[in-house]
Amino acid sequence: MGVLEHLREPPELSLRFIAVWLRNLRVWRKLMLPSILGNFGEPLLYLLALGYGLGQFVGEVESMPYMVFLASGIVCSAAMTGATFEALYSAYTRLTQQQTWAAMLAAPMNVDDVVLGEIVWAATKALINASAIVLVAALLGLVAGPEALLVLPVILLAGLAFAGIAMIVTALSPSYDFFLYYFTLVMTPMLLLSGVFFPLSSLPEAVQIGAQFLPLAHVVMLVRPLMTGGSIDAPLLHLGVILVYIVATYWISAALARRRLIR
């Protein structure tokens, strides 16, 4: 059965994915401290090093201190990297090396359940990582007010979108080395062209238009105003783009995983 045939079949949604999520949570709890430190350390380093270092030279960006501008971008990038690494390396290990997916499929669940469980778990990891950065930003006085708590549901949705994209790569990948293509051709450009480190308005017009198709850009456009007390332009548009990515990437990744696992 080819991939087109699988794509024509919508994923079968059920609550069985919760069992996959719980299984991954129980495993993660055993490695919780090093996992949090590893995923939390790099974005915190970016925030402090670039915020305090580069911020001394940049001054204000969009009428706010660069440190404040950067903090919201780092929250979004932490969500992207947290969801991506979990849906790439961890999920691929469970798929190929540990054969965890095969064991799950021996239980009363299907491939769609496993893929959805992995995506939701990766989004949970994104939420954990980003929440830690939001807390640090609040302690440093980089958050405007309690409305910053609204960032958390946005980050969860963003985590689902980024995890879905990464799950497509996992379903296609013949080895861990294949992930380098995704990092080089997708993640790095998206990180640099989505307004994380500098405003989109500073980029050429053609690049600004292209950035509108990147999910990270829309996440930044939602999160930054919530953290800095600004107003959100076209919030429904940004949420709509994120939701389209969530649905489309889950549909595609489930179809690719079915083609890979069902002979």
Side-chain angles (χ1 to χ4, degrees):
M1 192 173 182
V3 65
L4 291 179
E5 287 76 9
H6 285 296
L7 283 171
R8 292 192 187 100
E9 297 180 10
E12 181 183 331
L13 296 175
S14 77
L15 294 178
R16 293 188 296 264
F17 79 90
I18 296 175
V20 180
W21 184 88
L22 286 172
R23 181 264 171 201
N24 291 342
L25 174 63
R26 292 190 183 102
V27 172
W28 177 75
R29 284 171 56 189
K30 300 176 182 178
L31 305 169
M32 182 171 60
L33 184 58
S35 176
I36 290 177
L37 291 177
N39 294 322
F40 171 66
E42 183 177 354
L44 180 61
L45 182 62
Y46 272 110
L47 175 61
L48 297 178
L50 293 179
Y52 284 117
L54 191 59
Q56 300 297 320
F57 299 96
V58 174
E60 288 195 350
V61 177
E62 295 187 345
S63 302
M64 66 184 79
Y66 183 66
M67 187 74 162
V68 174
F69 176 89
L70 181 65
S72 53
I74 293 297
V75 167
C76 300
S77 68
M80 179 179 70
T81 55
T84 299
F85 273 85
E86 184 66 29
L88 286 180
Y89 289 99
S90 298
Y92 187 77
T93 298
R94 290 189 282 268
L95 169 63
T96 59
Q97 306 300 312
Q98 298 175 346
Q99 293 294 312
T100 306
W101 286 29
M104 291 176 179
L105 294 175
M109 63 174 57
N110 57 35
V111 176
D112 297 344
D113 300 325
V114 176
V115 171
L116 183 57
E118 292 283 2
I119 289 175
V120 174
W121 169 244
T124 304
K125 289 289 296 293
L127 180 61
I128 293 170
N129 294 351
S131 297
I133 303 297
V134 171
L135 177 60
V136 170
L139 293 175
L140 293 175
L142 306 177
V143 173
E147 61 269 19
L149 291 174
L150 295 175
V151 164
L152 301 183
V154 174
I155 290 300
L156 183 60
L157 291 176
L160 292 171
F162 295 129
I165 299 171
M167 194 60 65
I168 292 174
V169 180
T170 295
L172 289 171
S173 182
S175 69
Y176 291 103
D177 295 335
F178 190 80
F179 298 155
L180 294 176
Y181 293 107
Y182 179 66
F183 287 122
T184 302
L185 300 177
V186 179
M187 269 194 70
T188 300
M190 185 158 55
L191 182 64
L192 296 176
L193 302 177
S194 296
V196 172
F197 301 109
F198 43 81
L200 283 176
S201 58
S202 64
L203 297 173
E205 185 176 354
V207 178
Q208 293 182 43
I209 295 173
Q212 302 306 311
F213 296 93
L214 303 176
L216 182 58
H218 292 276
V219 176
V220 172
M221 291 176 194
L222 287 172
V223 168
R224 181 162 285 138
L226 290 173
M227 290 187 62
T228 61
S231 59
I232 303 175
D233 295 328
L236 294 180
L237 170 64
H238 304 316
L239 284 172
V241 171
I242 296 170
L243 290 174
V244 167
Y245 267 96
I246 291 172
V247 174
T249 56
Y250 171 52
W251 191 306
I252 296 170
S253 61
L256 292 172
R258 270 185 258 124
R259 185 192 66 166
R260 179 167 185 159
L261 294 171
I262 300 176
R263 303 298 179 183

